[in-house]
Amino acid sequence: MADIPVQEISEMFDMLSAKMPKLISGLMDSLYSAEAGQKIGQAVGSFYKQLVESGIPSEEALQMAKDYMLAIKEVASSLSKNMN
Protein backbone atom coordinates (compact mmCIF):
# COMPACT_ATOMS: atom_id res chain seq x y z
CA MET A 1 0.00 0.00 0.00
CA ALA A 2 1.41 3.39 -1.00
CA ASP A 3 1.85 6.13 1.55
CA ILE A 4 -0.46 9.04 0.85
CA PRO A 5 1.17 12.38 1.69
CA VAL A 6 -1.86 13.62 3.66
CA GLN A 7 -0.03 16.57 5.21
CA GLU A 8 1.26 17.83 1.85
CA ILE A 9 -2.15 17.45 0.24
CA SER A 10 -3.78 19.32 3.11
CA GLU A 11 -1.23 22.15 2.83
CA MET A 12 -1.79 22.35 -0.93
CA PHE A 13 -5.56 22.67 -0.46
CA ASP A 14 -5.05 25.33 2.22
CA MET A 15 -2.85 27.31 -0.17
CA LEU A 16 -5.36 26.94 -3.02
CA SER A 17 -8.29 28.02 -0.88
CA ALA A 18 -6.34 31.11 0.20
CA LYS A 19 -5.25 32.10 -3.32
CA MET A 20 -8.26 31.15 -5.47
CA PRO A 21 -10.55 34.05 -4.50
CA LYS A 22 -7.88 36.58 -5.53
CA LEU A 23 -7.20 34.70 -8.76
CA ILE A 24 -10.89 34.54 -9.65
CA SER A 25 -11.43 38.19 -8.76
CA GLY A 26 -8.48 39.23 -10.91
CA LEU A 27 -9.73 37.20 -13.84
CA MET A 28 -13.23 38.67 -13.57
CA ASP A 29 -11.80 42.20 -13.36
CA SER A 30 -9.76 41.57 -16.49
CA LEU A 31 -12.80 40.27 -18.39
CA TYR A 32 -15.11 43.13 -17.42
CA SER A 33 -12.80 46.13 -17.26
CA ALA A 34 -12.95 49.16 -19.55
CA GLU A 35 -9.58 48.14 -20.96
CA ALA A 36 -10.90 44.65 -21.78
CA GLY A 37 -13.89 46.25 -23.52
CA GLN A 38 -11.58 48.40 -25.62
CA LYS A 39 -9.47 45.39 -26.60
CA ILE A 40 -12.52 43.34 -27.52
CA GLY A 41 -13.88 46.23 -29.57
CA GLN A 42 -10.56 46.56 -31.38
CA ALA A 43 -10.44 42.81 -32.04
CA VAL A 44 -13.97 42.73 -33.44
CA GLY A 45 -13.33 45.85 -35.54
CA SER A 46 -10.10 44.40 -36.89
CA PHE A 47 -11.83 41.11 -37.66
CA TYR A 48 -14.57 42.94 -39.60
CA LYS A 49 -12.01 45.06 -41.47
CA GLN A 50 -9.98 42.01 -42.46
CA LEU A 51 -13.09 40.23 -43.72
CA VAL A 52 -14.11 43.18 -45.89
CA GLU A 53 -10.55 43.64 -47.18
CA SER A 54 -10.54 39.94 -48.08
CA GLY A 55 -13.56 40.43 -50.31
CA ILE A 56 -16.37 39.36 -47.99
CA PRO A 57 -19.49 41.49 -48.64
CA SER A 58 -19.98 44.05 -45.85
CA GLU A 59 -23.35 42.65 -44.71
CA GLU A 60 -21.91 39.15 -44.45
CA ALA A 61 -18.77 40.46 -42.70
CA LEU A 62 -20.96 42.36 -40.25
CA GLN A 63 -22.86 39.18 -39.37
CA MET A 64 -19.60 37.28 -38.95
CA ALA A 65 -18.25 40.04 -36.67
CA LYS A 66 -21.46 39.89 -34.62
CA ASP A 67 -21.10 36.11 -34.33
CA TYR A 68 -17.47 36.59 -33.25
CA MET A 69 -18.55 39.07 -30.58
CA LEU A 70 -21.24 36.68 -29.33
CA ALA A 71 -18.68 33.87 -29.13
CA ILE A 72 -16.42 36.07 -26.98
CA LYS A 73 -19.40 36.95 -24.78
CA GLU A 74 -20.34 33.27 -24.39
CA VAL A 75 -16.79 32.34 -23.34
CA ALA A 76 -16.72 35.15 -20.75
CA SER A 77 -20.16 34.19 -19.49
CA SER A 78 -19.18 30.53 -19.23
CA LEU A 79 -16.05 31.43 -17.27
CA SER A 80 -18.08 33.68 -15.00
CA LYS A 81 -20.62 30.93 -14.27
CA ASN A 82 -17.92 28.37 -13.57
CA MET A 83 -16.19 30.67 -11.10
CA ASN A 84 -19.23 31.46 -9.00
Side-chain angles (χ1 to χ4, degrees):
M1 187 158 132
D3 290 331
I4 299 174
V6 175
Q7 181 65 31
E8 288 86 1
I9 293 172
S10 176
E11 290 171 1
M12 182 180 69
F13 280 121
D14 287 344
M15 181 189 68
L16 285 172
S17 66
K19 293 188 178 198
M20 285 303 277
K22 288 181 183 178
L23 178 65
I24 291 170
S25 177
L27 182 57
M28 295 304 292
D29 288 347
S30 69
L31 287 173
Y32 294 105
S33 70
E35 184 178 318
Q38 289 174 333
K39 287 181 180 180
I40 292 170
Q42 289 171 346
V44 173
S46 178
F47 180 64
Y48 172 80
K49 182 179 176 186
Q50 290 296 318
L51 291 172
V52 171
E53 288 175 357
S54 297
I56 304 291
S58 62
E59 287 297 318
E60 198 172 325
L62 180 60
Q63 186 58 51
M64 292 171 77
K66 286 179 183 179
D67 292 343
Y68 177 58
M69 181 65 207
L70 290 174
I72 293 171
K73 181 181 174 184
E74 286 178 23
V75 168
S77 178
S78 177
L79 286 173
S80 177
K81 287 177 187 174
N82 289 327
M83 290 182 188
N84 291 327

